[in-house]
Amino acid sequence: MFYYLNGEITLMDDSLAVVDCGGVGYACHTTAYTLSKLHIGQPAKLYTYCNIREDAFDIFGFSSREELRCFELLLGVTGVGPKAAIAILSAASPERFTLAIMTQDERTLTAAQGIGKKLAQRIILELKDKMGAVSEVDFSGSSAASVPTAGSSLALAQAALAELGYSSAEIGAALKGIETEGKSTEDIVKQCLRAMVMR
């Protein structure tokens, strides 16, 4: 229904941000990750997901399309509702969540409030095929010299960025000038995302 809301942040509370758009305040349920990027009195754009039921009309807002996509993927998992999805994405950034699924890291998921081991295992089981393995990601846009070893931090970072919706050309351009040797996967992903924003 709404693709995004663009306006001034007028109120922030636990898991909630209110966006004023043309004098109307839209209450958006959101994650700690998104809240950390918002400031009261400052403009912001939140990408939205509307959950409409007979007794409710809930809007969920996210600071990036990547986080919205992760939220939608989680809602497709049996037994995961909006509350659990928000909890998981509050405990892990979109890139960390993506890496957790691809590396089958249960601990990252169980760090979220109310997420037990069995549910974490189900999330990984149902999403790993949708996200694809590292070996399935197409790095053909990269030069031969820059093709990483499967399972390396660089390979995982490239796979995570591809899963977040970036093309191989965008990833290759972001990696230029970034020192990756000895860096963790998460650090490489963060540097690439920063480089993409700066372009």
Side-chain angles (χ1 to χ4, degrees), residues 1-194:
M1 181 172 288
F2 303 127
Y3 185 71
Y4 63 77
L5 294 173
N6 195 354
E8 182 182 320
I9 302 299
T10 57
L11 182 95
M12 285 168 48
D13 204 347
D14 185 33
S15 301
L16 185 76
V18 176
V19 187
D20 185 321
C21 300
V24 179
Y26 293 90
C28 296
H29 302 281
T30 191
T31 64
Y33 176 80
T34 286
L35 286 173
S36 71
K37 298 181 175 300
L38 304 178
H39 302 281
I40 292 177
Q42 296 295 316
K45 177 187 286 187
L46 295 183
Y47 295 91
T48 57
Y49 176 92
C50 296
N51 186 33
I52 303 172
R53 306 189 307 274
E54 282 187 18
D55 58 344
F57 185 152
D58 295 322
I59 302 173
F60 296 85
F62 305 94
S63 61
S64 69
R65 287 178 295 176
E66 292 83 8
E67 191 179 24
L68 171 60
R69 181 173 183 272
C70 291
F71 179 77
E72 290 173 334
L73 283 170
L74 279 166
L75 291 185
V77 176
T78 306
V80 177
K83 186 176 180 181
I86 288 290
I88 291 169
L89 294 174
S90 287
S93 64
E95 57 266 29
R96 179 171 279 187
F97 168 73
T98 302
L99 287 172
I101 299 301
M102 296 173 71
T103 59
Q104 301 185 39
D105 175 12
E106 294 174 16
R107 286 187 299 176
T108 293
L109 302 181
T110 55
Q113 187 175 5
I115 306 301
K117 187 173 181 179
K118 284 187 178 179
L119 183 55
Q121 289 173 338
R122 187 186 308 142
I123 291 168
I124 290 170
L125 181 65
E126 292 193 25
L127 292 186
K128 66 181 181 180
D129 289 336
K130 291 181 181 178
M131 291 189 161
V134 174
S135 59
E136 295 172 353
V137 179
D138 178 16
F139 296 119
S140 59
S142 305
S143 64
S146 66
V147 175
T149 304
S152 69
S153 293
L154 179 55
L156 287 170
Q158 288 186 320
L161 288 164
E163 200 51 54
L164 288 169
Y166 294 103
S167 69
S168 57
E170 289 174 316
I171 295 168
L175 282 168
K176 286 182 180 176
I178 291 177
E179 180 56 56
T180 59
E181 185 138 359
K183 296 285 181 67
S184 70
T185 300
E186 190 174 354
D187 283 341
I188 296 171
V189 170
K190 284 180 179 177
Q191 286 185 63
C192 285
L193 290 173
R194 196 175 299 121

